[in-house]
Amino acid sequence: MASKPSLALKRRLKAPPQKVYEAWTQPEKMIHWWGVYDDKKPPICETDVRIGGRFRVQFWTPDGQHHSVGGVYREIVPDQKLVFSWAWQSTPERESRVTVDLKPDSDGTILTLTHEQFFDDKARDDHSRGWNASLDKLERMFA
């Protein structure tokens, strides 16, 4: 069987792993960097950070489109690693998997995001654009 498309992105952030982990798990911090959204209407983020707990993020693009994505936390190592399922409300049957690894790097953190099991190459490419835009905002948040 052919493997499904995946992507891996790496960023160095000017913050310790604990602060980066909080940015991924605390809704009041997630709203500042998550998603490509209309600046007049911030995302709505909900988290239940425990194995089997769920997260959901809703946002509106500048053209007014509503998007909602969510999943279930599969593995949690505070300040080091998060693994969760990922599915858009519009295509719940297309579940994929996200792993976020955080490694201390002198005064900062190396973040490696791996997103696996995409439905097709187009889904991977679309997510690559979205994740890069979000990670750009996350970098600016810690600049």
Side-chain angles (χ1 to χ4, degrees):
M1 184 170 122
S3 64
K4 290 188 170 191
S6 65
L7 69 88
L9 304 170
K10 191 173 275 199
R11 297 290 178 102
R12 186 181 188 286
L13 303 169
K14 294 178 182 174
Q18 175 193 353
K19 296 283 186 205
V20 178
Y21 179 82
E22 289 171 357
W24 279 86
T25 57
Q26 295 178 4
E28 66 275 12
K29 293 183 174 143
M30 291 168 68
I31 63 169
H32 296 291
W33 68 271
W34 191 289
V36 181
Y37 57 87
D38 181 340
D39 290 331
K40 293 180 278 307
K41 191 171 190 174
I44 298 170
C45 303
E46 304 164 77
T47 62
D48 179 10
V49 185
R50 61 183 174 83
I51 303 296
R54 300 190 69 81
F55 79 92
R56 187 163 80 132
V57 179
Q58 297 181 71
F59 61 94
W60 293 262
T61 53
D63 63 5
Q65 289 186 51
H66 174 257
H67 299 273
S68 179
V69 67
V72 176
Y73 293 104
R74 304 287 187 210
E75 185 179 344
I76 299 168
V77 182
D79 306 336
Q80 294 177 38
K81 186 175 191 175
L82 284 171
V83 180
F84 48 89
S85 62
W86 177 273
W88 293 96
Q89 185 176 7
S90 57
T91 52
E93 71 285 357
R94 293 186 179 188
E95 186 176 293
S96 55
R97 174 183 159 120
V98 176
T99 302
V100 179
D101 281 302
L102 306 174
K103 301 278 185 252
D105 182 55
S106 65
D107 63 341
T109 301
I110 300 292
L111 178 151
T112 304
L113 181 146
T114 308
H115 197 151
E116 304 169 281
Q117 300 295 310
F118 284 112
F119 179 75
D120 57 19
D121 289 342
K122 181 186 182 314
R124 179 202 53 217
D125 296 346
D126 290 347
H127 282 81
S128 180
R129 281 190 291 281
W131 278 124
N132 275 299
S134 290
L135 293 176
D136 288 348
K137 287 187 205 172
L138 187 61
E139 272 189 270
R140 286 194 295 275
M141 195 171 109
F142 291 124

